[in-house]
Amino acid sequence: MSHKTEATVLIQAKAGKAEELKAAMQELIDETLKEPGCELFKIFQHDGNPEAFTLWEIFSNPSALTEHMDKSYTQKFFSLGLTESLSAIHHAQLSR
């Protein structure tokens, strides 16, 4: 079993804020991918519901995710208040 920190995060934009949220998420993606502990960070917009998004993230270990959450650009993203809800599902890969 992997010691990586992996999650799927369901993100719902506030009504009418999807485009603004997409721009903010692109900035977050660009900065997060530079982090040495980030192995995967992809955000997808849902077909049929443009205000819903799914984030797939993998960090090399739990402390890498903690460091990511403490970064100024991550804190800025959350402070914008563009999301209605966030729901994280943490998981570990069973196959190699």
Side-chain angles (χ1 to χ4, degrees):
M1 188 167 310
S2 173
H3 293 287
K4 297 178 184 190
T5 299
E6 305 178 24
T8 300
V9 182
L10 304 176
I11 304 165
Q12 181 66 41
K14 286 187 175 176
K17 297 292 186 180
E19 290 304 313
E20 194 175 344
L21 179 59
K22 281 172 48 175
M25 287 190 294
Q26 189 57 60
E27 289 181 32
L28 182 63
I29 292 165
D30 293 344
E31 292 301 320
T32 302
L33 289 173
K34 296 175 189 174
E35 295 176 30
C38 178
E39 296 186 16
L40 178 81
F41 198 85
K42 292 184 177 185
I43 300 176
F44 303 89
Q45 189 170 25
H46 293 199
D47 289 342
N49 183 357
E51 293 184 339
F53 301 85
T54 297
L55 160 65
W56 291 346
E57 63 182 1
I58 300 175
F59 287 87
S60 57
N61 55 57
S63 63
L65 176 59
T66 299
E67 289 174 23
H68 164 70
M69 296 305 290
D70 290 340
K71 297 285 188 185
S72 61
Y73 47 84
T74 303
Q75 294 296 313
K76 177 185 172 190
F77 173 79
F78 286 112
S79 74
L80 295 173
L82 300 172
T83 60
E84 185 68 36
S85 64
L86 294 165
S87 174
I89 302 163
H90 294 271
H91 42 75
Q93 182 175 329
L94 297 178
S95 61
R96 294 179 188 208

